Amino acid sequence: MKEIVLDTETTGISTKEGHRIVEIGCIELENLIPTQNKFHCYLNPERKVSEKAFEVHGYSDVFLSKQKKFKDVDEDFLDFIKDKRLIIHNAEFDLAHLNNELALLGKKKIVNEVVDTLILARDKFPGSPVSLDALCKRYRVDNSKRTQHTALIDCDLLAKVYINLIDQKEPTLNFHNQESTESTISNGKVLYFKKVIKPSDLEIKKHNQYLKENLKKNFF
């Protein structure tokens, strides 16, 4: 199954105050493994970046004024996410801004299935910090490159956090014999069981003989 980890950066928090998107980042996952497919763009918001937003992502008005506008990339973006589940941290924020950009072009809202990792984290760790940085710390995900919030870096971190949140683990190279382990899926979780090997009569006999000949009697 293909999923899209998505993040945006904006000129400010509220679309009602006219704030717009300045960056979109998307990373494609296939069966939880990142593919080589990515979508990334900086955008000219056609307005100034608020001071607080600039502190978060560091994109200046001069830099953004030279970028494409959303109307120049909307079709490519919609094609990239088409029919794929979206993985977003605090989805309400990103979807509000994306749907606002689409509305300004007279286009329909995004209807993809969405997994909000913020909600997943709140359900899993009630009362604990659930920011992306806090979850990286909890799962020992290296976020040292996140000196500022940038869409692609945040997507990469979120992909790793997401895998942990749903009780999966990142795929690793394993050169051991896989026949000794069987797995089953129950309620979205992968449970692992060691294969039970029944000893033969001869093995039981040798084991008992070993115990009799090599273990000292306990006199206490």
Side-chain angles (χ1 to χ4, degrees):
M1 178 178 63
K2 291 185 178 180
E3 300 170 295
I4 300 294
V5 182
L6 183 152
D7 185 58
T8 65
E9 299 298 337
T10 66
T11 60
I13 294 177
S14 177
T15 57
K16 293 180 180 179
E17 295 177 359
H19 287 295
R20 305 282 300 275
I21 294 176
V22 300
E23 183 185 20
I24 302 173
C26 299
I27 293 177
E28 183 184 68
L29 304 180
E30 185 167 8
N31 297 323
L32 301 178
I33 300 174
T35 69
Q36 296 300 314
N37 295 328
K38 297 180 181 180
F39 178 89
H40 179 253
C41 64
Y42 299 108
L43 297 172
N44 178 355
E46 301 179 85
R47 61 154 293 159
K48 289 187 176 182
V49 175
S50 68
E51 290 184 10
K52 289 185 177 180
F54 179 74
E55 291 174 2
V56 170
H57 53 61
Y59 301 140
S60 68
D61 294 327
V62 174
F63 170 74
L64 295 173
S65 67
K66 301 174 184 178
Q67 309 305 319
K68 294 181 179 180
K69 297 176 182 178
F70 185 78
K71 66 180 181 180
D72 300 319
V73 304
D74 66 301
E75 291 296 336
D76 291 338
F77 168 69
L78 292 173
D79 285 343
F80 188 82
I81 68 170
K82 186 178 180 180
D83 299 328
K84 298 170 186 174
R85 178 189 291 164
L86 304 181
I87 313 301
I88 311 174
H89 199 69
N90 192 11
E92 183 178 357
F93 175 85
D94 296 271
L95 290 176
H97 280 275
L98 287 167
N99 287 329
N100 177 63
E101 296 289 348
L102 291 169
L104 292 173
L105 298 179
K107 297 193 173 184
K108 296 180 181 179
K109 293 182 178 181
I110 292 171
V111 295
N112 300 54
E113 178 185 356
V114 177
V115 174
D116 191 337
T117 51
L118 182 64
I119 294 175
L120 286 181
R122 283 175 176 167
D123 289 342
K124 193 165 187 177
F125 309 113
S128 298
V130 289
S131 67
L132 185 55
D133 282 332
L135 292 172
C136 285
K137 184 177 181 180
R138 177 180 288 275
Y139 289 122
R140 298 181 181 179
V141 173
D142 181 9
N143 65 343
S144 58
K145 293 181 180 179
R146 197 188 190 220
T147 55
Q148 288 183 310
H149 292 219
T150 58
L152 274 184
I153 289 178
D154 284 5
C155 283
D156 178 63
L157 296 174
L158 182 57
K160 295 172 181 175
V161 165
Y162 171 60
I163 290 169
N164 282 279
L165 275 173
I166 60 173
D167 294 324
Q168 303 282 359
K169 290 187 177 180
E170 292 181 79
T172 56
L173 293 175
N174 188 348
F175 298 104
H176 296 291
N177 188 346
Q178 298 298 319
E179 292 181 357
S180 62
T181 304
E182 296 178 354
S183 66
T184 185
I185 298 178
S186 175
N187 297 323
K189 296 182 179 180
V190 177
L191 307 175
Y192 291 91
F193 301 92
K194 291 295 183 181
K195 188 174 181 179
V196 177
I197 301 175
K198 188 176 181 179
S200 65
D201 292 339
L202 179 60
E203 288 172 328
I204 292 174
K205 182 179 179 180
K206 288 184 176 180
H207 177 68
N208 290 334
Q209 184 178 353
Y210 173 83
L211 294 177
K212 184 178 180 180
E213 294 177 355
N214 293 280
L215 293 185
K216 295 181 180 179
K217 290 183 180 180
N218 187 353
F219 294 100
F220 303 97

